[in-house]
């Protein structure tokens, strides 16, 4: 018995990183997964590897409302319904606030924040029609605290925590639970674009993170699984920090 037997879950940004690990784990737990991304070659290859009984790929730019409508149609065509959503797609840009071009700030908000809004808006009615289910939004450590040079990103991730709370309130009566994951530093192409050995990243994070290492994307996937299955049946509207203790406080030695 898998924890997601019989479920159909759409995962955005599923071609690589945390979304890829979520797709692999959810499929292993019995879900049909709809992988949505803009990296078509990687997304299609992953869907093929998981097999057409378990996975389908759809091109989706989460910042575009039309794309969401089309993605829902593909998901329903492949598996009949949708009863789970993981809003995982996101982008990161580094810039000092006073140097950030307006276009860059708006682009980050459009993908990270508007993308999550459109996902909830488009998919929640489908989940309701399926009899209820779950939504997991991917916020961040930076959705709960500040960090220099990621102003647009932090603003977008704080917004996702707010959207999560409001969606949980509005959707509870429709039998839809909505929670957020808030990862700290996780070894994916976003945080480690050069593919540096995780051991080297650990050096960087040893002083910052009490557990002394960078996180792994499969660890975030396990939290997303918990929030998508019956193990979390009485939990909604909450941000869950997964950061090796980074947010716990400041070490003095
Ligand atoms: N890696 C970290 O340290 C970390 C920490 C906190 C939060 N997060 C968040 O976790 C999520 C996953 O990030 P990751 O670390 O796996 O990064 P990643 O860059 O490896 O993966 C992000 C995925 O989202 C896709 N994507 C980007 N823009 C898109 C768009 N407009 N439409 C559809 N797909 C799009 C990318 O193609 C990619 O496959 C993001 O929301 C990110 O902000 C990551």
């Amino acid at each position: 018995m898998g924890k997601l037997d019989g479920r159909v879950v759409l995962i955005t940004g599923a071609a690589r990183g945390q979304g890829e690990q979520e797709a692999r784990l959810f499929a292993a737990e019995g879900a049909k997964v709809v992988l949505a991304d803009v990296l078509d070659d990687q997304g299609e290859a992953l869907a093929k590897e998981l097999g057409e009984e378990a996975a389908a790929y759809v091109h989706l730019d989460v910042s575009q409302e039309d794309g969401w409508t089309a993605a829902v149609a593909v998901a329903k065509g492949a598996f009949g319904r949708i009863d789970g959503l993981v809003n995982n797609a996101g982008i990161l840009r580094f810039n000092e606030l006073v140097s950030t071009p307006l276009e860059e700030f708006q682009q980050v908000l459009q993908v990270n924040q508007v993308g999550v809004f459109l996902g909830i808006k488009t998919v929640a009615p489908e989940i309701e029609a399926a009899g209820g289910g779950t939504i997991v939004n991917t916020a961040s450590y930076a959705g709960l605290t500040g960090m220099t040079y990621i102003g647009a990103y932090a603003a977008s991730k704080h917004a996702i925590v707010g959207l999560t709370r409001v969606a949980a309130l509005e959707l509870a009566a429709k039998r839809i639970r909505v929670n957020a994951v808030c990862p700290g530093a996780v070894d994916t192409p976003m945080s480690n674009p050069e593919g540096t050995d995780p051991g080297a990243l650990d050096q960087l994070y040893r002083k910052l993170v009490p557990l002394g290492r960078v996180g792994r994307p499969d660890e975030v996937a396990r939290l997303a699984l918990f929030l998508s299955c019956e193990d979390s049946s009485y939990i909604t509207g909450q941000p869950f920090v997964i950061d090796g203790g980074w947010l716990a406080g400041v070490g003095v030695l």
Side-chain angles (χ1 to χ4, degrees), residues 12-20 36-39 42 60-63 87-92 111-112 138-142 153 157 160 181-192 205 214 217 220:
T12 67
R16 72 180 192 194
Q18 293 172 35
E20 174 187 350
D37 209 300
V38 291
L39 296 177
Q42 281 172 261
L60 169 63
D61 178 345
V62 294
S63 67
N87 278 313
N88 164 76
I91 58 173
L92 172 65
V111 174
N112 295 2
T138 307
S140 171
Y141 170 96
Y153 183 84
K157 294 300 187 178
I160 291 171
V181 296
C182 300
V186 181
D187 185 22
T188 69
M190 176 181 282
S191 58
N192 184 13
Y205 288 110
V214 69
V220 179

Side-chain angles (χ1 to χ4, degrees), residues 94-102 104-105 148-152:
F94 291 99
N95 228 325
E96 198 176 4
L97 273 176
V98 295
S99 306
T100 302
L102 175 60
E104 180 178 300
F105 194 89
T148 48
Y149 307 120
I150 58 165

